[in-house]
């Protein structure tokens, strides 16, 4: 899609666009893990980001710690609290991405933040610093797309994309507005509620994602309630990407020793990657069929 400076022009460019193009050529789906920056500490988060890529992550969603993460369940809320207790701020998160970019120039990084930290820094200042750090996109959990034009102007001036969420009960006219303003991908929330809940109904998700894909040219990725290889593979049958957060954050918090926690997180994500890739391979035409 072509890029425009107008707030209502969607685009997929840069590292995110390249990522989805590579996956499309092989019939694979994006695996997008979420972790909270600074949980349990900044150094561990940096190692974890590289661990996630090694385990099969295509895009990383990196949470900016916030004191009142109302859209998140207790697992991620506690991760925010642990990071804040260590004094982690938005500038720290941007420096973290800059450190990540020293060794990884390809994996897209999407900051997942509530609006307040970005607003306090200022839209133009944030966008300049984020771009310089190697951030690719921003997802503001509590900012409706219809109210985001000022932020979108600042982001797009720095070639940053804006990812927006679509809830299961979002009416079609609002979806059209969200898709016209969004970039990168659409985050299709699997069910009403907070992150970390376990009432995922893959049939409903598949139907919802299929409907969304008829309404936008942007990739549609689904998150909330995905916790293992089976659920990840089921959602990947129709979604362009699978987003997993609480299951990884829970693994990270379950171990006192950092090395054990990193291994557990990597193993959980690798299992999802394997399940998704096996399904993709089973659906790929054989050489005989292509002939």
């Amino acid at each position: 899609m072509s890029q425009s400076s107008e707030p209502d022009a969607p685009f997929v460019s840069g590292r995110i666009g390249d990522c989805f193009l590579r996956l499309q050529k092989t019939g694979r789906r994006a695996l997008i893990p979420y972790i909270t920056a600074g949980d349990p500490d900044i150094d561990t988060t940096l190692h974890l980001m590289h661990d996630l890529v090694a385990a099969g992550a295509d895009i990383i969603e990196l949470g900016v710690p916030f004191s009142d993460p109302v859209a998140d369940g207790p697992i991620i809320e506690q991760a925010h609290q642990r990071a804040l207790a260590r004094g982690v701020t938005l500038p720290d998160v941007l420096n973290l991405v800059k450190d990540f970019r020293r060794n990884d120039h390809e994996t897209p990084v999407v900051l997942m933040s509530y609006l307040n930290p970005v607003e306090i820094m200022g839209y133009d200042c944030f966008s300049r610093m984020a771009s310089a750090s190697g951030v690719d996109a921003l997802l503001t959990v509590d900012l409706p797309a219809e109210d985001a034009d000022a932020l979108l102007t600042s982001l797009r001036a720095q070639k940053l994309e804006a990812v927006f969420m679509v809830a299961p009960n979002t009416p079609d006219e609002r979806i059209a507005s969200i898709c016209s303003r969004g970039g990168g991908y659409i985050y299709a929330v699997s069910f009403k509620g907070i992150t970390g809940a376990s009432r995922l109904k893959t049939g409903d998700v598949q139907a919802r994602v299929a409907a969304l894909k008829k309404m936008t040219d942007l990739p549609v990725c689904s998150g909330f309630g995905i916790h293992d290889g089976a659920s990840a593979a089921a959602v990947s049958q129709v979604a362009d990407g699978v987003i997993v957060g609480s299951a990884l954050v829970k693994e990270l918090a379950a171990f006192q020793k950092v090395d054990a926690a990193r291994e557990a997180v990597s193993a959980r994500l690798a299992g999802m990657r394997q399940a998704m890739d096996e399904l993709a391979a089973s659906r790929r035409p054989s050489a005989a069929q292509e002939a």
Side-chain angles (χ1 to χ4, degrees), residues 69-105:
V70 293
D72 292 297
I75 293 171
I76 292 180
E77 181 181 2
Q78 289 163 16
H80 280 254
Q81 292 171 354
R82 290 190 293 267
L84 290 171
R86 287 190 171 269
V88 177
T89 64
L90 176 53
D92 294 327
V93 178
L94 296 177
N95 285 330
L96 169 64
V97 178
K98 185 181 294 184
D99 289 341
F100 175 72
R101 286 284 173 238
R102 290 194 176 108
N103 294 303
D104 189 317
H105 304 287

Side-chain angles (χ1 to χ4, degrees), residues 46-57:
L46 177 59
H47 289 304
L48 274 168
M49 291 173 74
H50 291 298
D51 291 344
L52 294 172
V53 175

Side-chain angles (χ1 to χ4, degrees), residues 176-231:
S177 177
I178 291 168
C179 292
S180 73
R181 287 172 165 82
Y185 53 91
I186 295 296
Y187 188 134
V189 178
S190 301
F191 50 77
K192 290 177 63 178
I194 56 176
T195 60
S198 57
R199 58 179 182 274
L200 180 69
K201 295 181 179 178
T202 55
D204 292 346
V205 174
Q206 291 171 349
R208 181 60 170 164
V209 169
L212 283 173
K213 291 179 73 172
K214 294 178 181 178
M215 302 177 68
T216 180
D217 292 333
L218 291 170
V220 178
C221 304
S222 185
F224 281 44
I226 297 166
H227 60 280
D228 59 12
S231 54

Side-chain angles (χ1 to χ4, degrees), residues 20 23 26 126 136 225 236 251:
F20 281 107
L23 291 167
T26 59
F126 166 81
D136 297 282
S236 75
E251 289 278 19

Side-chain angles (χ1 to χ4, degrees), residues 32-35 59-63 110-112 139 185 187 243:
I32 309 175
Y34 164 95
I35 54 174
I59 299 170
I60 293 175
E61 285 188 357
L62 190 62
V110 178
L111 291 193
M112 190 169 183
L139 192 166
Y185 53 91
Y187 188 134
I243 303 166

Side-chain angles (χ1 to χ4, degrees), residues 3 26 42 46 64 91 97 134 150 152-153 156 164 170 188 214 216 230 260 265:
Q3 183 177 336
T26 59
I42 286 289
L46 177 59
V64 176
V97 178
L152 287 173
T153 298
R156 292 184 177 174
F164 289 110
T170 302
K214 294 178 181 178
T216 180
V265 169

Side-chain angles (χ1 to χ4, degrees), residues 101-140:
R101 286 284 173 238
R102 290 194 176 108
N103 294 303
D104 189 317
H105 304 287
E106 183 174 280
T107 306
V109 175
V110 178
L111 291 193
M112 190 169 183
S113 179
Y114 289 82
L115 181 62
N116 183 261
V118 177
E119 202 166 40
I120 289 174
M121 182 177 284
Y123 293 164
D124 289 345
C125 179
F126 166 81
S127 298
R128 287 193 302 270
M129 291 182 65
S131 178
S133 298
V135 171
D136 297 282
L138 173 68
L139 192 166
T140 43

